[in-house]
Amino acid sequence: MDNREASAYLRYLRISPRKVQIVCDLIRGKDVESAMAVLMQTPKAASEPLMKLLKSAVANAENNFSMDPEALVVSQVYATPGPILKRIMPRAQGRAYRINKRTSHVTLTVAEKA
C-alpha cells in the first residue's frame, strides 16, 4: 500500500505557537483514536481547536482520498507563528508598554499505517 497523506490547516489561531506546540507534541505519532482521547483529557486551551483540526484532517482523508479512518495515524503536527497583534498597555508617568498578542498557524497531517 502506498503511503498517502491528508492534511488540514488552522490559520490565525489566537494562541501563542509555544503553547500550541506543547499539545502538538502530545499527539504526534499516535493513531487517531488515542490522539482524540489525549486531546479530550488535556486541560489546555489549544486542545479544543486541535481536536477540531484532527477531525477535519480525518474527514479530508476519508472523503478526498478514500482512506480508512480506522487506520490513520497523526504523521505530522506543528505550529508556526502567525502575525502578531500589537497592543499598548498604559503604564506610570505616561509610558506605554507593548503587548504582543501572538497567533499560530497549525498544520496537521494524517497518514495510513504502514
Side-chain angles (χ1 to χ4, degrees):
M1 187 186 299
D2 60 322
N3 199 4
R4 294 178 297 167
E5 293 183 332
S7 295
Y9 305 97
L10 171 57
R11 304 191 68 217
Y12 305 106
L13 175 65
R14 251 300 286 123
I15 303 174
S16 161
R18 185 172 170 174
K19 293 176 183 178
V20 178
Q21 200 66 53
I22 293 168
V23 183
C24 288
D25 293 342
L26 295 174
I27 63 169
R28 189 177 294 112
K30 290 189 168 34
D31 63 282
V32 169
E33 206 166 299
S34 60
M36 200 68 83
V38 166
L39 289 173
M40 281 183 175
Q41 297 302 317
T42 305
K44 293 274 189 192
S47 56
E48 200 172 322
L50 277 175
M51 200 182 319
K52 278 180 78 172
L53 187 64
L54 179 58
K55 286 178 182 174
S56 176
V58 171
N60 289 344
E62 192 176 357
N63 294 312
N64 300 346
F65 301 103
S66 303
M67 293 187 207
D68 179 22
E70 303 295 314
L72 293 175
V73 292
V74 179
S75 61
Q76 285 184 325
V77 57
Y78 56 89
T80 55
I84 298 171
L85 306 172
K86 296 178 177 87
R87 300 293 181 258
I88 298 291
M89 172 73 83
R91 305 303 293 177
Q93 298 180 359
R95 292 183 176 88
Y97 283 4
R98 160 125 1 117
I99 303 289
N100 289 329
K101 296 190 176 282
R102 298 181 186 276
T103 60
S104 304
H105 297 323
V106 186
T107 303
L108 193 146
T109 306
V110 290
E112 288 183 322
K113 285 181 195 148

